[in-house]
Amino acid sequence: MVQYNFKKITVVPNGKDFVDIILSRTQRQTPTVVHKGYAISRLRQFYMRKVKYTQQNFHEKLSTIIEEFPRLDEIHPFYADLLHVLYNKDHYKLALGQINTARNLISKIAKDYVKLLKYGDSLYRCKSLKVAALGRMCTVIKRIGPSLAYLEQIRQHMARLPSIDPNTRTILICGYPNVGKSSFMNKITRADVDVQPYAFTTKSLFVGHTDYKYLRYQVIDTPGILDRPFEDRNIIEMCSITALAHLRAAVLFFLDISGSCGYSIAQQAALFHSIKSLFMNKPLIIVCNKTDLQPLDGISEEDRKLVTEMKTEAMKTVIGQGGEPENEEGVLLTMSTLTEDGVIAVKNAACERLLNQRVELKKKSKKMNDCRNRFHVALPKPRDQKERPPCIPQAVLEAKTKQAEEEKKRKTEKDLEEENGGAGVYSASLKKNYILASDEWKEDVLPEILDGHNVYDFIDPDILLRLEELEREEGLRQAEEEADDFEMDGEELSPEEQEALAEIRKKKNLLIQQHRMKKSTAESRPVVPRKFDTDRKFTTKRMGRQLSTLGLDPSLAINRARSKSRGRKRERSVERGEADGGDTMDIDGNQESKKLRLRSMSRSRSRSRPPITEVVPGEGLKDSAQKSYSYIETKAPVLWETFHWKDGQALRHEIKLCSGGERSFTFSIFAALMFSDIDVDLVARRLQQLLPLPKTGLPPLPQPTIPTVLKPGLLPPFPSIPNLSSAPKVTLPPLSSFP
Amino acid sequence: MRIEKCWFCSSTVYPGHGIQFVRNDAKIFRFCRSKCHKNFKMKRNPRKVKWTKAYRRLHGKDMTQDSTFEFERKRNRPERYDRNLAENTLKAIKKIDKIRSDRASDHIKNRLKTGKVQRQKEARKQLEQGIHLVKAPLALAQDSSLHLPKIKVNVSQAQTEGNQPMEE
């Protein structure tokens, strides 16, 4: 059916686009390359092809346009009128006519130019003919440009027209603007029509669908109609008039009782009478809307009269149709779309009326007779007068009655819930109806998880038996284990043996480490031989310790070692090894007399050691001078604090490095002394030589050949150590005399 | 609410922990933590990953077959509740647990026994051979046990007399 293809009309391009499309297509789809050297027939053919191709395309496109647009004569009069109302039939026809002419013109042009091309003698001539042809075709199209634009607009609008089927069951809603037609529509269908307080909110027809008795009804909402003479009506009103005129539908004429639409009942009644001619042969229902604002009974007398008049008119239509004196209820109805009071009743009445009318009509038509002949409903005739009611067994009846009683008496869980506070407060006890061996167990809570196991996995009726077996087995197994263990215990080491083993392992590790060190440094670094013991490791004390840890008595060995060393060991002389480290400060501790004290000051060596300036091979120094120099230079920046005398007389000197003069010399001496093992009296002599001393009764000393001023770097050769036995005993001056 | 076993490492997965992966063939893989999950995604075989129970069982490091494992079996048929049975079950679980752990530790001990014996032998040998490093032969001749020699300490007379007033 044509009306459903309004949405399927192809887009109509405007003039310029049309031309562009066709020409570009020609360019793409036809061969483009041509040279003047080609044969003339080839050239002609080339250009003729182009002209023909363009003409064909134009023809095609224009034909589709002409065919797709509906012809007003061939569609349903409702649509024809609607289109006429909207677009003006004449303009529409004209536009389409123009398109048609254009098409013909283009065909003619093409024909002419093809004929001319047949006699074209050069490339240039053929080409210019083709250009001319195409040009003319395009001009034709340009001329119909406005029509194309108009048709495009129509197409767009047509696509948006509501899809109304003129032949199916339809309900039409009409009346003044703002009476409540769209709200009614919204109530009974799923359509979402705009409802606003101003008039002419609805500007075109709207379709909705509703169901009644398993049948689908179209409900058409129309724009409001004003009471005007026919000629003065605008397009919007004409839409609704058209609908009224052509659609075979039930009509609901809406009446606003309260007058809130802005028009009085008189005006509405006037409108009614003016269009009542359109209501011929249509089931008419007068609907009084907005009864929530003004009930029907409350209106004035005149209005009442008008309404009754309308009703009688409506009645006429009823009587005119079915021939049945319809009850008056079906004609005049009241409702309110706001409170939804009576809406359904109205809809039902309208649907019913329409249905009846259509059925009547169908019955009268010939088709029905054909169908009816094929139906036959068979009713069995009663054989005799005996009654035969349906047979229900007694038990069922009893059960039914009992169930009814039980339903009332039994207390349900829901009642219980409601008694105890409702859904959120009370939670039903699910364990109430458990069937257990003892009723006390109903509320028991069994843990599901115990110590990382699922309890349910262990539950077993004969778990006790199996457990007993298991424990027996375990007992046996443990006995065996003990027997085994007992055998094994003999082999362990005792704690003392373990100690010894640990010691052995330590010693072994130590040996291995030392060996590794020696191995790695043997070739790269020269090692100081043991006789030059610079760190003073190899003492008798140490040897004694080591021997005693091995379990031997060291005393013999120590004595032998000491006797073989250079000096005699004197009484009460503190061993050298402790002189540097020991901080003995006992003043007047063991000494009684000065003499003894003095005696003790002179030391003898119990252990041989090379003097500080003697060059030890392996240290990398050339001679003793260099060595003494190196000592002083390296130790120079350090603060010396304590200079210990024998037996605790500590002479505190802070010797800082200062440049030049006597002080440097003094410093050098002191520095040398710190490291050396030189006798104290020698030190004193040196000091006297250098520093101006008060006369304290010291014997004159031999003058050494030592310069008084020394620069660092110019050290004198260190004097050799004098023979100790020839050193005179000197009493030292008291400390305070020294600067 | 059930405690499940991790598919990868076989440790227990408590409710609320871990991730469960359902494959397209409807096989469910449960993992105790993301470590196992990630290992699974890397397609590692738990039987080859050292720290899993599967590996340990396969390579005989842990106890494999034991009657205590028979007690814990997933039963699909629920039993009717019986308080005595429940009590007994709960007590039994504890005992079974203890027995099982005892057996497992014994298994491991047995496994490690040979190594222990060997080490003891080696220690003894080392002690006998290396005693000369810590004990002089003379001392060894006097006291032929393989202990460290006793160190004699000389205590001077003066000191002992000096301490006596302090002891009061």
Side-chain angles (χ1 to χ4, degrees):
Chain A
M1 293 207 127
V2 187
Q3 58 254 39
Y4 292 112
N5 285 348
F6 286 173
K7 299 195 204 292
K8 289 192 191 156
I9 306 174
T10 45
V11 181
V12 180
N14 71 5
K16 226 162 62 103
D17 286 343
F18 206 163
V19 164
D20 285 340
I21 291 167
I22 302 289
L23 287 182
S24 66
R25 190 182 289 184
T26 312
Q27 202 213 0
R28 276 183 293 126
Q29 306 289 359
T30 54
T32 49
V33 181
V34 76
H35 298 297
K36 62 179 185 216
Y38 290 174
I40 190 67
S41 54
R42 189 172 166 188
L43 291 174
R44 286 180 192 148
Q45 203 183 46
F46 177 81
Y47 285 109
M48 279 200 287
R49 189 168 166 187
K50 285 208 186 266
V51 170
K52 267 226 151 95
Y53 188 79
T54 315
Q55 181 262 326
Q56 269 169 5
N57 277 340
F58 272 124
H59 186 91
E60 238 181 75
K61 280 211 172 288
L62 293 173
S63 306
T64 46
I65 292 171
I66 291 168
E67 273 152 34
E68 283 190 346
F69 272 87
R71 260 181 244 175
L72 295 180
D73 314 323
E74 289 171 4
I75 54 178
H76 194 274
F78 165 62
Y79 275 105
D81 256 358
L82 192 62
L83 290 178
H84 171 56
V85 161
L86 293 169
Y87 315 127
N88 197 348
K89 195 160 52 175
D90 302 326
H91 286 167
Y92 179 78
K93 276 190 176 172
L94 262 174
L96 284 178
Q98 273 198 346
I99 307 264
N100 202 13
T101 9
R103 188 173 59 166
N104 294 338
L105 279 175
I106 288 174
S107 304
K108 263 216 283 186
I109 293 169
K111 225 186 327 182
D112 292 339
Y113 274 89
V114 161
K115 264 201 224 150
L116 283 175
L117 267 169
K118 267 201 269 195
Y119 304 106
D121 45 3
S122 73
L123 173 81
Y124 178 71
R125 203 155 296 182
C126 293
K127 182 170 178 181
S128 41
L129 279 173
K130 166 224 152 200
V131 167
L134 294 196
R136 277 178 72 171
M137 290 189 227
C138 293
T139 334
V140 168
I141 297 295
K142 272 197 226 157
R143 273 214 311 265
I144 64 163
S147 306
L148 289 171
Y150 176 72
L151 281 173
E152 172 61 18
Q153 280 191 347
I154 287 182
R155 183 198 73 86
Q156 282 179 358
H157 197 274
M158 276 210 290
R160 291 202 202 105
L161 285 179
S163 54
I164 299 173
D165 183 0
N167 297 322
T168 178
R169 303 162 286 276
T170 325
I171 296 178
L172 211 56
I173 311 176
C174 60
Y176 251 90
N178 259 4
V179 296
K181 305 188 287 298
S182 303
S183 354
F184 178 70
M185 174 84 156
N186 284 342
K187 283 281 180 291
I188 54 173
T189 67
R190 280 206 65 184
D192 213 1
V193 190
D194 240 2
V195 176
Q196 298 283 350
Y198 59 87
F200 290 103
T201 316
T202 316
K203 295 193 209 30
S204 63
L205 302 174
F206 285 95
V207 187
H209 293 84
T210 181
D211 293 319
Y212 178 75
K213 282 192 182 168
Y214 311 109
L215 291 169
R216 189 142 267 212
Y217 287 77
Q218 271 182 149
V219 184
I220 301 185
D221 182 24
T222 64
I225 312 168
L226 296 171
D227 190 17
R228 287 202 280 216
F230 192 76
E231 301 76 31
D232 296 343
R233 294 201 188 279
N234 58 27
I235 296 175
I236 304 174
E237 292 169 331
M238 282 309 291
C239 281
S240 35
I241 300 285
T242 319
L244 273 174
H246 293 286
L247 294 174
R248 208 161 41 97
V251 179
L252 295 173
F253 186 84
F254 269 55
L255 202 55
D256 184 355
I257 294 288
S258 65
S260 62
C261 63
Y263 306 97
S264 69
I265 299 187
Q267 286 170 310
Q268 294 179 46
L271 171 69
F272 177 82
H273 290 294
S274 63
I275 58 173
K276 68 184 174 196
S277 55
L278 291 168
F279 299 150
M280 289 294 214
N281 299 331
K282 297 193 176 84
L284 173 65
I285 297 179
I286 300 174
V287 181
C288 303
N289 199 10
K290 307 197 189 173
T291 50
D292 52 310
L293 296 171
Q294 167 91 335
L296 182 58
D297 311 320
I299 53 173
S300 65
E301 265 303 312
E302 293 165 2
D303 294 333
R304 212 126 248 212
K305 229 176 45 174
L306 290 164
V307 171
T308 341
E309 260 181 46
M310 290 202 287
K311 200 166 106 173
T312 45
E313 282 290 335
M315 290 293 288
K316 273 194 220 157
T317 62
V318 174
I319 293 170
Q321 284 165 27
E324 299 152 21
E326 191 80 34
N327 54 348
E328 292 179 356
E329 301 299 320
V331 185
L332 181 71
L333 295 166
T334 60
M335 71 164 195
S336 167
T337 48
L338 195 66
T339 61
E340 295 187 36
D341 183 31
V343 169
I344 309 287
V346 168
K347 173 194 130 187
N348 288 346
C351 295
E352 192 67 44
R353 288 274 297 278
L354 182 66
L355 192 64
N356 289 339
Q357 193 213 22
R358 285 171 75 100
V359 164
E360 285 291 328
L361 278 172
K362 284 207 177 127
K363 268 199 257 184
K364 284 185 196 155
S365 72
K366 278 193 226 155
K367 274 197 225 165
M368 277 307 292
N369 284 329
D370 296 334
C371 294
R372 222 192 300 205
N373 291 337
R374 297 190 216 147
F375 289 130
H376 173 67
V377 178
L379 289 167
K381 261 199 262 184
R383 194 170 47 177
D384 50 20
Q385 298 301 321
K386 195 168 170 193
E387 275 232 6
R388 289 187 177 87
C391 172
I392 304 172
Q394 192 64 21
V396 171
L397 283 170
E398 281 173 13
K400 272 199 184 162
T401 49
K402 237 205 299 183
Q403 209 184 37
E405 280 174 23
E406 239 186 53
E407 285 288 319
K408 290 180 214 148
K409 270 198 261 171
R410 193 178 70 180
K411 189 171 188 187
T412 58
E413 286 290 335
K414 188 127 177 87
D415 297 336
L416 200 59
E417 187 186 73
E418 273 170 39
E419 272 175 34
N420 290 339
V425 178
Y426 170 81
S427 64
S429 157
L430 300 163
K431 302 187 175 186
K432 218 168 46 168
N433 297 325
Y434 277 7
I435 305 167
L436 296 171
S438 154
D439 276 344
E440 297 171 337
W441 299 345
K442 277 189 188 172
E443 299 295 321
D444 263 4
V445 174
L446 177 64
E448 295 176 37
I449 295 172
L450 181 66
D451 287 347
H453 301 284
N454 292 306
V455 173
Y456 293 140
D457 289 347
F458 279 85
I459 292 181
D460 193 4
D462 28 79
I463 195 165
L464 281 176
L465 293 167
R466 292 169 67 195
L467 184 65
E468 262 178 74
E469 253 184 65
L470 182 71
E471 290 190 324
R472 247 183 292 136
E473 262 181 50
E474 185 67 10
L476 289 171
R477 194 189 67 87
Q478 283 198 337
E480 277 177 34
E481 283 278 327
E482 275 182 30
D484 275 341
D485 279 343
F486 194 67
E487 289 167 23
M488 289 301 307
D489 275 340
E491 303 259 330
E492 280 200 13
L493 294 174
S494 68
E496 297 100 359
E497 287 180 339
Q498 279 175 0
E499 256 184 65
L501 187 61
E503 274 297 317
I504 291 171
R505 285 182 177 155
K506 255 200 271 181
K507 272 250 161 82
K508 265 208 155 148
N509 271 333
L510 214 63
L511 286 173
I512 292 170
Q513 271 179 26
Q514 281 173 358
H515 171 73
R516 283 189 184 146
M517 278 192 337
K518 266 194 228 164
K519 190 172 70 164
S520 64
T521 62
E523 287 162 16
S524 56
R525 270 194 291 139
V527 184
V528 180
R530 196 165 149 145
K531 72 170 181 170
F532 293 119
D533 187 20
T534 44
D535 298 332
R536 293 179 205 168
K537 285 196 297 193
F538 301 105
T539 57
T540 44
K541 230 189 161 59
R542 187 157 168 263
M543 182 176 74
R545 258 206 311 270
Q546 285 180 344
L547 285 175
S548 55
T549 52
L550 279 177
L552 299 168
D553 184 17
S555 42
L556 285 176
I558 290 174
N559 289 337
R560 187 165 177 277
R562 284 194 181 148
S563 69
K564 289 243 167 157
S565 72
R566 271 201 229 171
R568 292 170 283 130
K569 185 167 157 59
R570 285 231 189 160
E571 303 170 16
R572 295 196 206 151
S573 60
V574 180
E575 288 192 359
R576 266 297 170 179
E578 291 173 348
D580 298 335
D583 197 354
T584 50
M585 268 281 283
D586 41 278
I587 307 163
D588 292 290
N590 299 342
Q591 308 295 327
E592 275 94 330
S593 69
K594 227 179 182 180
K595 237 188 179 175
L596 281 170
R597 199 191 313 144
L598 284 172
R599 192 168 292 173
S600 69
M601 291 293 197
S602 64
R603 296 182 182 178
S604 62
R605 280 197 198 89
S606 58
R607 169 171 117 161
S608 68
R609 206 189 315 130
I612 202 87
T613 49
E614 182 174 314
V615 175
V616 175
E619 279 184 346
L621 293 163
K622 194 168 55 171
D623 55 13
S624 55
Q626 203 182 46
K627 188 159 180 186
S628 23
Y629 173 56
S630 77
Y631 266 111
I632 292 166
E633 288 295 298
T634 51
K635 310 294 179 192
V638 180
L639 274 169
W640 307 106
E641 280 211 339
T642 313
F643 186 83
H644 287 284
W645 295 82
K646 202 152 158 25
D647 287 341
Q649 273 187 329
L651 173 68
R652 284 227 165 80
H653 270 263
E654 284 185 342
I655 303 169
K656 294 184 198 163
L657 177 64
C658 38
S659 60
E662 292 174 353
R663 291 296 289 270
S664 65
F665 186 70
T666 326
F667 165 75
S668 66
I669 295 292
F670 269 66
L673 289 173
M674 293 294 284
F675 297 106
S676 73
D677 209 13
I678 297 173
D679 275 352
V680 168
D681 41 2
L682 193 61
V683 170
R685 247 181 274 145
R686 287 273 192 277
L687 286 172
Q688 281 164 12
Q689 283 157 14
L690 299 168
L691 307 166
L693 284 174
K695 295 258 174 197
T696 50
L698 285 168
L701 292 165
Q703 299 285 328
T705 53
I706 299 166
T708 52
V709 176
L710 262 184
K711 289 192 191 118
L714 278 179
L715 275 177
F718 209 84
S720 57
I721 301 160
N723 200 354
L724 290 172
S725 51
S726 64
K729 310 287 180 282
V730 178
T731 54
L732 274 179
L735 290 171
S736 52
S737 65
F738 289 132
Chain B
M1 205 84 74
R2 267 189 73 86
I3 291 186
E4 306 287 355
K5 287 250 166 276
C6 174
W7 184 85
F8 197 81
C9 63
S10 317
S11 69
T12 52
V13 187
Y14 271 78
H17 289 255
I19 290 195
Q20 201 167 291
F21 165 61
V22 183
R23 213 165 48 181
N24 279 351
D25 59 357
K27 184 157 160 59
I28 299 178
F29 296 88
R30 293 173 219 271
F31 304 106
C32 59
R33 57 201 195 284
S34 63
K35 177 176 178 181
C36 302
H37 188 47
K38 285 179 182 162
N39 269 309
F40 173 79
K41 284 195 277 190
M42 279 195 272
K43 295 190 173 175
R44 286 202 184 147
N45 188 355
R47 284 155 185 261
K48 290 193 177 176
V49 178
K50 289 261 168 67
W51 51 272
T52 57
K53 211 74 176 143
Y55 175 94
R56 289 187 67 83
R57 292 226 179 94
L58 185 70
H59 288 74
K61 314 272 185 198
D62 273 351
M63 187 168 66
T64 318
Q65 281 175 336
D66 198 35
S67 55
T68 45
F69 295 138
E70 303 300 314
F71 280 86
E72 184 169 7
R73 204 174 14 103
K74 183 164 185 205
R75 288 150 232 267
N76 289 320
R77 228 156 132 251
E79 295 274 336
R80 197 172 285 279
Y81 177 73
D82 187 347
R83 191 186 275 187
N84 305 323
L85 180 62
E87 262 180 88
N88 293 335
T89 312
L90 292 172
K91 288 185 200 152
I93 289 177
K94 289 209 159 51
K95 290 189 194 153
I96 293 166
D97 230 5
K98 182 164 176 315
I99 291 173
R100 202 199 67 235
S101 52
D102 280 343
R103 288 191 187 177
S105 55
D106 280 341
H107 173 93
I108 292 175
K109 211 161 62 164
N110 279 335
R111 184 163 62 87
L112 300 173
K113 206 185 283 197
T114 48
K116 191 163 158 194
V117 164
Q118 196 167 25
R119 276 199 298 277
Q120 277 172 358
K121 273 205 220 138
E122 277 178 18
R124 186 154 283 282
K125 193 167 167 209
Q126 204 177 25
L127 181 63
E128 280 169 22
Q129 288 183 343
I131 194 69
H132 65 93
L133 291 173
V134 290
K135 198 167 186 183
L138 194 65
L140 194 61
Q142 289 166 357
D143 168 29
S144 65
S145 73
L146 293 171
H147 298 159
L148 286 173
K150 293 213 174 45
I151 304 172
K152 296 194 194 107
V153 181
N154 292 329
V155 179
S156 61
Q157 199 63 22
Q159 278 188 0
T160 48
E161 283 177 17
N163 279 338
Q164 274 175 5
M166 293 285 282
E167 281 172 33
E168 281 181 277

